[in-house]
């Protein structure tokens, strides 16, 4: 989610404090975004950089990686369960 708009995207990499995603044309450094993924609660993040079709996000709260893996295990790359 960004500015009330909802976009589908692909998470390429995840760490406790951030994510690498396929970038969307509307994203720019400093934008605040919300990420919905599988059964997880909505995550809040700030876009840190955008380059070559990808974006780096800094999560506002540290991510429980074990919980993330369990919650997203059944989510296909297109976001469907």
């Amino acid at each position: 989610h960004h500015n009330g708009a909802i976009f589908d995207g692909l998470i390429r990499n995840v760490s406790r404090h951030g994510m690498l995603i396929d970038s969307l044309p509307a994203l720019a450094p400093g934008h605040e975004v919300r990420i919905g993924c599988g059964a997880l609660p909505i995550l809040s993040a700030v876009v840190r950089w955008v380059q070559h079709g990808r974006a780096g996000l800094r999560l506002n709260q540290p991510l429980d990686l074990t919980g993330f893996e369990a919650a997203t295990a059944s989510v296909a790359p297109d976001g469907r369960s």
Side-chain angles (χ1 to χ4, degrees):
H1 300 248
H2 170 64
N3 283 341
I6 297 174
F7 301 97
D8 288 329
L10 180 63
I11 297 171
R12 295 282 181 180
N13 192 326
V14 64
S15 72
R16 186 160 164 73
H17 298 284
M19 293 182 174
L20 170 65
I21 65 167
D22 282 347
S23 180
L24 305 165
L27 292 181
H31 283 168
E32 297 210 12
V33 296
R34 295 182 355 177
I35 303 131
C37 187
L40 286 175
I42 299 294
L43 304 171
S44 296
V46 175
V47 178
R48 301 293 290 170
W49 56 266
V50 177
Q51 186 176 24
H52 304 299
R54 300 220 167 139
L57 307 179
R58 172 82 174 165
L59 298 172
N60 292 336
Q61 297 290 324
L63 181 62
D64 170 13
L65 293 175
T66 303
F68 179 84
E69 185 175 319
T72 59
S74 63
V75 177
D78 62 4
R80 290 181 277 169
S81 297

